[in-house]
């Protein structure tokens, strides 16, 4: 964008999480001195001659950004500069960014931010916010010798057509850029800054006013109650089946020991000779289980730290950095779990197993990520990841994660295979004709609904925080939902597994993985719905990026739930 640039200042360095999320911090041309009030100070003036093609292109780019409601995001002392305005029911909403400008349509309807000022009324016209009134609130530290701390920074975007750009006075009509305008357009950027002492806000709780203005806590409690009801219902079902049916079955077998009619077996007892028959594609299943374990532990630890407040929005990029580092360090459990299961499935090719565990799922994620990065790079986006960071990520993967996976696999293969309580018959049993709901596909599709019901409200807020620049800070809720999700996945799978074992279908390994893993498919459907109903994304590149990143999340979620 063609705004005022800061001359000769160095860019601050970003951490891994910020680089991956595409956050780039640039130095600013707006200079403040503490407690020095400025009124209507000029920053720079940009002149566009619409007869010149390069100037016209810059101005058109600016217009397009106003049409799509692009936002400035400014930081002072690691605090977002917020724009607070009144919304309905007397509440104030604090937006951590403010729009570049706004547009009045051809039939005179104000779009987005144009509703804030009745002076914006020219039809088919853009109004650019070229002046900001910044208020900085500080808190004088009493017990220490000297100094004050910044506790809030707020601004009001204004639009003025400065008649004398060299000596601006910040009064008069708004800065309008007519859509049909030709000739010369001059935009003078100015700012005012005032300092106010604020005794009531403590420095430690200075983020609260941004978070309070994000409503939705009552929706959260509602969703938690909703999820808990599902969990109770499932736990009741599982407990009932375990106690009643199994108790009855076992009692019946114990009675039969005395008599000679032990031949007539029924239900799940019939498949005891086939239940531990190794699944088809056992290699792939063991690799998925290894990667899933890695993701499960990573998610648990990351959310646990986030709950303790280490990964709040104030530490920019901390969440992503923490997740990536943990994922790299958790290669050992992945290798171990994959090896144990592969060995118990009677697999011999242990080298292939280790290599697949360390390269298959991370490789898919990295390839997807790399393609997305190529698109960003081709579009000339600032969110494209520099080559150095890509090399660093590959180094983390190859030099730390892979060796750790090998160590885990070594211990997994050294241990004896998991002992099965019953022998497997030589000849596989015939599976009888299944009823509709014990067939594999309907069972798998049903299994994903319940876990998805637990998470979909949280999912809405998470997608908002990724795609709509809202802050996500409800990690306590998220941790609760995570625990509930783990329980629901397990219980739904146990239930459906019991049903199809009773119907004498003994292929349970893949089915149990896919039953809860199918939640990821619902996640994908929800993401598609979110894309069409909530986001106004135009352009092929943006659409490919949205779905590319969504596929990464879906794959990780699939392995995790499975």
């Amino acid at each position: 964008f063609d705004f005022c640039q800061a001359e000769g200042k160095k860019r601050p360095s970003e951490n891994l999480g910020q680089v991956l999320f595409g956050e780039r911090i640039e130095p600013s041309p707006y200079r403040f001195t503490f407690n020095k009030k400025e009124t209507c100070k000029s920053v720079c003036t940009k002149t566009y001659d619409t007869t010149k093609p390069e100037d016209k292109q810059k101005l058109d780019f600016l217009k397009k950004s106003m049409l799509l409601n692009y936002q400035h995001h400014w930081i002072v002392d690691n605090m977002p500069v917020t724009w607070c305005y009144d919304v309905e029911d007397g509440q104030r909403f604090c937006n951590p960014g403010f729009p570049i400008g706004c547009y009045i349509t051809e039939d005179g309807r104000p779009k987005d931010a144009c509703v804030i000022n009745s002076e914006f009324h020219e039809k088919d016209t853009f109004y650019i916010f070229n002046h900001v009134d910044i208020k900085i609130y500080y808190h004088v530290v009493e017990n220490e010798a000297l100094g004050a701390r910044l506790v809030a920074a707020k601004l009001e975007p204004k639009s003025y057509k400065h008649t004398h750009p060299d000596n601006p006075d910040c009064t008069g009509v708004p800065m309008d850029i007519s859509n049909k305008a030709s000739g010369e357009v001059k935009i003078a950027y100015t700012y005012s800054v005032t300092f106010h002492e604020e005794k009531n806000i403590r420095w430690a709780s200075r983020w609260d006013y941004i978070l309070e203005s994000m409503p939705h806590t009552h929706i959260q409690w509602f969703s938690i109650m909703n999820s808990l009801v599902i969990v109770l219902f499932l736990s009741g079902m599982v407990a009932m089946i375990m106690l009643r049916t199994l108790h009855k079955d076992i009692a019946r077998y114990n009675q039969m020991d005395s008599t000679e009619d032990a031949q007539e077996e029924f239900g799940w007892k019939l498949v005891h000779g086939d239940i531990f028959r190794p699944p088809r594609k056992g290699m792939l299943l063991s690799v998925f289980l290894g990667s899933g374990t890695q993701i499960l532990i990573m998610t648990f630890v990351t959310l646990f730290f986030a709950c303790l407040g280490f990964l709040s929005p104030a530490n920019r990029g901390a969440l992503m950095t923490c997740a990536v580092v943990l994922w790299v360090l958790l290669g050992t459990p992945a290798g171990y779990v994959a090896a144990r299961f592969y060995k118990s499935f009677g697999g011999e090719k242990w080298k292939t197993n280790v290599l697949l565990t360390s390269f298959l799922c991370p490789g898919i994620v990295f390839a997807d990520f790399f393609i997305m990065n190529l698109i960003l790079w081709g579009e000339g986006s600032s969110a494209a990841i520099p080559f150095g960071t890509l090399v660093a990520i590959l180094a983390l993967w190859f030099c730390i994660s892979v060796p750790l996976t090998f160590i885990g696999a070594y211990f997994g293969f050294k241990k004896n295979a998991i002992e099965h309580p019953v022998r497997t018959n030589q000849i596989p049993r015939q599976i009888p004709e299944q009823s509709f709901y014990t067939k594999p596909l309907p069972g798998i599709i049903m299994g994903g609904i319940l876990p998805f019901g637990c998470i979909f409200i949280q999912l809405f807020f998470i997608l908002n925080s990724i795609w709509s620049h809202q802050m996500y800070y409800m990690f306590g809720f998220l941790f609760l939902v995570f625990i509930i999700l783990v329980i629901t996945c397990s219980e739904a799978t146990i239930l459906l597994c019991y049903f199809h074992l009773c119907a004498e279908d003994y292929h349970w390994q893949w089915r149990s993985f896919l039953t809860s893993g199918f939640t990821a498919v619902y996640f994908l459907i929800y993401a598609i719905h979110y894309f069409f109903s909530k986001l106004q994304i135009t352009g092929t590149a943006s659409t490919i990026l949205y779905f590319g990143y969504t596929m990464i999340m879906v794959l990780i979620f699939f392995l995790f739930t499975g």
Side-chain angles (χ1 to χ4, degrees):
F1 285 108
D2 192 33
F3 297 123
C4 305
Q5 299 293 322
E7 292 304 316
K9 290 192 70 176
K10 265 183 62 190
R11 288 192 46 220
S13 62
E14 287 105 1
N15 60 30
L16 181 66
Q18 283 170 290
V19 174
L20 291 181
F21 257 123
E23 287 184 20
R24 301 285 178 276
I25 300 175
E26 295 287 345
S28 153
Y30 295 80
R31 303 285 161 79
F32 312 147
T33 314
F34 179 62
N35 253 344
K36 184 176 161 205
K37 190 175 157 191
E38 300 277 10
T39 38
C40 205
K41 194 165 170 24
S42 171
V43 187
C44 70
T45 305
K46 295 282 184 184
T47 311
Y48 301 102
D49 184 354
T50 47
T51 52
K52 291 186 187 157
E54 67 266 23
D55 278 13
K56 187 169 167 24
Q57 192 190 355
K58 282 179 180 170
L59 195 62
D60 286 346
F61 191 54
L62 215 53
K63 286 180 184 171
K64 184 185 166 197
S65 70
M66 288 188 245
L67 202 58
L68 293 171
N69 198 20
Y70 271 56
Q71 309 265 329
H72 291 280
H73 289 273
W74 289 2
I75 308 170
V76 177
D77 182 36
N78 200 24
M79 279 289 286
V81 182
T82 56
W83 172 38
C84 295
Y85 50 90
D86 293 316
V87 285
E88 67 272 8
D89 339 321
Q91 286 183 314
R92 279 181 84 66
F93 181 76
C94 288
N95 184 4
F98 69 96
I100 290 177
C102 62
Y103 176 58
I104 306 273
T105 55
E106 289 174 17
D107 49 5
R109 269 187 320 118
K111 281 191 62 169
D112 298 319
C114 275
V115 293
I116 62 172
N117 192 337
S118 56
E119 287 182 11
F120 301 159
H121 53 64
E122 299 282 327
K123 294 180 179 175
D124 196 19
T125 302
F126 291 95
Y127 289 97
I128 187 160
F129 293 131
N130 58 340
H131 173 85
V132 284
D133 286 333
I134 302 172
K135 283 191 182 135
I136 291 186
Y137 297 90
Y138 63 93
H139 164 108
V140 176
V141 184
E142 294 97 5
N143 48 10
E144 291 168 33
L146 77 171
R149 281 171 155 178
L150 180 144
V151 288
K154 299 184 183 180
L155 61 74
E156 287 284 333
K158 299 275 173 60
S159 181
Y160 293 120
K161 193 170 205 160
H162 300 296
T163 36
H164 311 289
D166 318 320
N167 145 18
D169 56 352
C170 296
T171 51
V173 293
M175 178 73 219
D176 53 342
I177 306 167
S178 170
N179 207 359
K180 315 272 191 300
S182 56
E184 197 178 57
V185 179
K186 257 190 171 176
I187 304 175
Y189 292 94
T190 54
Y191 69 95
S192 304
V193 58
T194 51
F195 289 85
H196 306 267
E197 188 172 353
E198 173 65 79
K199 290 194 164 67
N200 304 333
I201 304 178
R202 298 202 52 74
W203 186 75
S205 54
R206 60 183 191 158
W207 280 73
D208 292 3
Y209 80 98
I210 305 176
L211 304 183
E212 276 160 15
S213 73
M214 308 245 169
H216 327 306
T217 321
H218 53 280
I219 304 182
Q220 297 293 330
W221 281 115
F222 168 73
S223 103
I224 297 275
M225 294 318 295
N226 170 16
S227 313
L228 281 171
V229 168
I230 292 180
V231 168
L232 282 173
F233 161 74
L234 278 170
S235 308
M237 288 280 283
V238 172
M240 199 173 79
I241 282 178
M242 292 302 153
L243 291 173
R244 275 197 49 205
T245 356
L246 291 180
H247 184 72
K248 237 202 245 162
D249 291 351
I250 289 166
R252 201 187 281 164
Y253 289 126
N254 291 348
Q255 277 177 349
M256 278 160 64
D257 280 351
S258 51
T259 59
E260 286 303 303
D261 54 342
Q263 301 307 314
E264 309 167 32
E265 295 184 336
F266 52 88
W268 50 266
K269 216 33 200 205
L270 282 170
V271 293
H272 69 80
D274 295 278
I275 194 76
F276 293 114
R277 192 174 293 290
R280 282 168 284 197
K281 304 258 189 301
M283 170 75 89
L284 195 59
L285 182 60
S286 62
V287 168
F288 279 178
L289 287 169
S291 300
T293 311
Q294 191 174 4
I295 291 164
L296 181 72
I297 302 173
M298 172 195 90
T299 316
F300 179 79
V301 179
T302 308
L303 285 178
F304 184 69
F305 279 137
C307 275
L308 298 179
F310 291 128
L311 311 175
S312 74
N315 304 354
R316 294 169 191 284
L319 188 74
M320 193 70 179
T321 313
C322 176
V324 170
V325 169
L326 276 170
W327 182 87
V328 166
L329 295 177
L330 286 168
T332 315
Y336 179 77
V337 168
R340 279 306 296 271
F341 275 103
Y342 185 61
K343 194 170 175 182
S344 79
F345 293 155
E348 299 293 322
K349 305 182 194 146
W350 63 273
K351 288 176 190 145
T352 324
N353 181 263
V354 188
L355 287 171
L356 277 178
T357 309
S358 36
F359 292 116
L360 180 69
C361 300
I364 295 172
V365 171
F366 185 79
D368 187 332
F369 194 71
F370 187 70
I371 294 166
M372 295 302 111
N373 203 41
L374 282 180
I375 294 173
L376 282 171
W377 188 65
E379 291 280 311
S381 162
S382 63
I385 290 166
F387 184 69
T389 312
L390 275 180
V391 173
I393 293 172
L394 282 173
L396 281 175
W397 177 20
F398 286 116
C399 307
I400 303 176
S401 182
V402 174
L404 285 174
T405 313
F406 270 81
I407 293 170
Y410 169 75
F411 284 111
F413 280 114
K414 235 177 73 165
K415 286 194 76 156
N416 294 331
I418 302 165
E419 287 285 312
H420 296 317
V422 286
R423 275 205 327 275
T424 304
N425 295 342
Q426 293 291 318
I427 303 159
R429 244 183 97 82
Q430 278 281 190
I431 296 175
E433 185 63 34
Q434 296 292 310
S435 67
F436 174 72
Y437 69 96
T438 55
K439 284 199 178 93
L441 205 61
I444 288 170
I445 291 173
M446 279 190 298
I449 294 176
L450 289 166
F452 180 73
C454 295
I455 58 159
F456 84 100
I457 293 185
Q458 279 296 331
L459 209 54
F460 173 72
F461 292 111
I462 292 172
L463 289 178
N464 265 355
S465 78
I466 296 174
W467 304 113
S468 303
H469 277 295
Q470 290 181 2
M471 304 216 170
Y472 191 87
Y473 56 92
M474 300 173 280
F475 293 110
F477 281 125
L478 192 58
F479 192 65
L480 256 176
V481 169
F482 168 80
I483 302 292
I484 289 175
L485 175 67
V486 170
I487 297 171
T488 318
C489 280
S490 322
E491 290 184 342
T493 309
I494 290 172
L495 263 180
L496 289 161
C497 193
Y498 177 79
F499 289 142
H500 75 76
L501 285 181
C502 284
E504 299 173 36
D505 180 353
Y506 50 83
H507 295 303
W508 60 276
Q509 288 100 333
W510 267 111
R511 277 183 68 169
S512 56
F513 188 87
L514 293 171
T515 299
S516 49
F518 203 79
T519 317
V521 178
Y522 290 110
F523 176 11
L524 178 61
I525 295 167
Y526 184 75
I528 295 170
H529 161 75
Y530 180 84
F531 178 79
F532 287 112
S533 68
K534 291 281 183 299
L535 300 178
Q536 294 98 25
I537 287 185
T538 52
T540 349
S542 302
T543 311
I544 295 173
L545 283 170
Y546 176 84
F547 285 106
Y549 286 131
T550 301
M551 288 320 290
I552 293 182
M553 293 193 279
V554 167
L555 174 71
I556 289 176
F557 194 68
F558 168 73
L559 293 170
F560 157 73
T561 46

